[in-house]
Amino acid sequence: MVGWRNWAGIRYYLYLIPTFALLVVFGYYPPISAIYHSFFRWDGILASQFIGFGNYVRMLHSGTMAIAAANILKLIIWGLLAGILPALGVAELLLSIRSQRAQYWYRILLVAPIVVPGVVGLLLWEFLMDPNYGFFNTILAAVHLPTFLFFASPQQALYSFMFMGFPWISAVNVLILLAGLMNISRDLFDACALDGATWFQRFVRVDFPLIIGQVKLLIILGLIGGLQGFTAQLIITQGGPAFSTEVPGLMMYQSAFTYQQMGYASAIGLVMFVVILILTIINMKYVRTSVEYQP
Amino acid sequence: MDAQVRANVGVAAVSKRKPVRRRWPDWKSHVAMWILLALVFLPLGEMVIISLKSPYQYQAQPFGVSWPIAWATVVSNFQGGWQAISPYIANSLLYSGASLIGVLLLASFTAFVFARFRFAGKEVLYYAVIALLMVPGVLTLVPQYALVHHLGLLNTRWALILPYWAGGQVFGIFLLRSFLGGIAEEYFEAARIDGAGDWRLYWNIALPLCRPIMATLAILNVIGTWNDLVWPMVALAGKPGLENLTVGLTMFQQEFFTNYGPLMAGYIIASLPLLLLFLVASRQFIEGLGSGSLKI
C-alpha cells in the first residue's frame, strides 16, 4: 500500500523527465556557461584562462562597441516608431471599415507576406536598393533626382537599414493593436459620435488610452527584439562599410565565430541580456498601465 | 448643450433623427488600404516579374513586365531555381517537421501534467520552465555552440533538432497549460470513472480538446524554425549538404549573382511551402500571430 502511494506521487516526476532532460542541457546550462565563461579567455573548445573582468573592461574601452551601441540605439528608436505608428494607423483604418468580410480579407492579405522567408525579404530589399542597378535608383534617375549609394556608403548604410521594409507595416503589430481596438465597447464609439467628437479627439481620449496595454507590449517586444537583432547586418553589410552598421549582436557573432573569442562574445551577450532585463522592468513598472473601462 | 440633451433622451430619440454624419466614409479606408497593400507587395511583385525574364529582357527593362512572356524562359528559370533550392527545402522540411512533432508532443504532455495533477513542488518546477522565456537568444548562442561541439553533435541534424525541441516546448507548455487548466474537471473525472489511466486521459481527452490551441502553437513553431538563420549557419557550417533553407538561400544568392531570373524563381519556390500551409490554415496564422500578446 505504501509502495503504491509512493509510485502514485513519483510517476508525475517521471512524466517530466523528457522535458527537464532537454531543458537542463539546452535550457539552463547555456546561460550559466555564458556567465561563467564571460570571465575567461575562451576559444570555446579547449583553452580557457581566467581573466576576471578583462572581457568587460575590454568592452568598455572598445571603440567599435561605442559605435555599435550608438547604432543600435538609433535602430531601436526607429524600430519602435516604424513598428508601432504605421501599424496603429492601419489598425485604425481596418477598424473604420464596416464590412467584417472586407476587414477579414485585408487582414489575410497583410499577413500573407509572412510565407516568404525573412532572408528572402532581406535579399530582395538589398537587390532593390542596389546603388547601380536597383529599383529605387532607376526610378530616381528616370525623374532626374539624385540617387543614393545605400549600403555602399558609410553615411547612408545605417539609414538604408531604416528605409528597408517601407512602408513598415508590421502585420503582427497590426493584429495585436486591432485586437485591442476591437475589444473597445461599440457604445463608447457611438457616444463619441453623438457628442460630435472628431476622429482625432476620439483617438486621443478613447482609443489610445484603452489600447495602451497593447502598445506597451509592442514596446517591450520591440526593445527585446531590436536590441538583439543583427541578421540584416550579417547578411547585407557584415557591419561595414567602416563599422557604420556594426551592432552589438553582430559584434558578439563575429567575436565568437570569426575570431574564436568566445569568452568576450559571452560577455557581450550577458551585457545585452542585462540591458534587456532592465529595459523590460522599467517598461513594466513605469509605463502607465491600461485604463480599464467600466460600463 | 445639444449633445447633453441627446445623450439624455437616449437611443429612442436618436433612431428618429438622421443618422449621425460620418466624417470618414468607408471608401476612403478601402482606397488607403489598397495603396498600402500595393506598397507592401511591391518587392514581392518585382520578385515575380523578374522571375519571368530572360537575361536579355532583364537588361532591356529590369523592373517592368517584359511582353510577351516567353514561357520557355519561365520554365527554365523555375527549373534552375528548383534544382538549386530543392535540397535545402527538403532539409528544412525535415528540421521544421521534426521540431514540430517533438514540440507538440512534449509541450502538450508536460502541460497536461502541470495542469491536471497535484504533486509537491509543481509550481516551482513550472516557474523553472517558464523562467526560460526570459532568456534571450544572444545569451545562449555562443555557449550552445560550444556545448553542441562538446557533445559531438556539430554538423549533424541533431544540432538543430534537439535545441528546437528544448526551446520550442517552453512557450508551448506556457500556452497549453493555461488552456488545459481551464477545461472542466468533469471530462477527466468521467474518463477516470470509466477506468482510464493517465495516458488515456492525455491521449483521448486532453490532446483532442487542445487541438485548436495546438494549431496556433504549430504555426508559430513552424514560422520560427523555418526562418531560423544564425543557429543553422554556425551549427552546420562545416558540412555541405545539411544546410537548411535560409542558409541555402544566402549561398544560392551568391551562386546566381547576376542571373536574376532563376534567382527570383528560387525565391518564389522557397516561399511555396509556407504559402501552401497559409492557404489551408490562414485563420490559424492570424490567430497565432495575433496571440503574440500571450508571450509576456
Side-chain angles (χ1 to χ4, degrees), chain A residues 128-205:
Chain A
L128 294 176
M129 292 166 79
D130 186 274
N132 298 317
Y133 314 107
F135 177 81
F136 295 106
N137 275 352
T138 306
I139 288 184
L140 289 172
V143 294
H144 303 290
L145 283 171
T147 57
F148 293 97
L149 285 170
F150 293 116
F151 298 111
S153 149
Q155 283 78 38
Q156 295 170 16
L158 193 67
Y159 300 103
S160 302
F161 279 116
M162 297 183 185
F163 176 69
M164 260 169 81
F166 177 81
W168 314 294
I169 296 168
S170 157
V172 175
N173 293 4
V174 171
L175 291 178
I176 291 174
L177 291 169
L178 184 62
L181 287 172
M182 283 166 49
N183 268 339
I184 299 175
S185 161
R186 297 285 109 179
D187 297 349
L188 277 175
F189 293 155
D190 292 345
C192 288
L194 282 173
D195 289 345
T198 63
W199 175 84
F200 185 73
Q201 284 171 326
R202 195 199 82 192
F203 177 77
V204 172
R205 307 250 172 120

Side-chain angles (χ1 to χ4, degrees), chain A residues 11-13 15 19 25 28 30 45 96 98 106 109 117-118 123 127 133 135 194 217 228 231 252 257 273 277, chain B residues 6 22 26 29-30 34 41 63 110 117 120 128 134 136-138 143 145 147 150 169 198 227 229 260 293:
Chain A
R11 68 197 159 124
Y12 300 132
Y13 302 103
Y15 292 159
T19 283
V25 180
Y28 301 122
I45 295 158
S96 76
R98 290 263 159 139
Y106 285 133
L109 285 172
L123 295 171
F127 168 76
Y133 314 107
F135 177 81
L194 282 173
L217 172 81
Q228 297 188 70
T231 312
M252 180 197 73
F257 302 110
F273 168 61
L277 207 60
Chain B
R6 254 188 283 169
R22 282 162 62 200
D26 238 23
S29 294
H30 286 282
W34 281 111
F41 278 91
F63 300 111
T110 302
F117 297 124
M134 287 295 289
V138 284
Y145 175 82
L147 171 71
H150 284 298
Q169 64 174 349
D198 295 346
N227 280 302
L229 175 73
Y260 291 112
S293 51

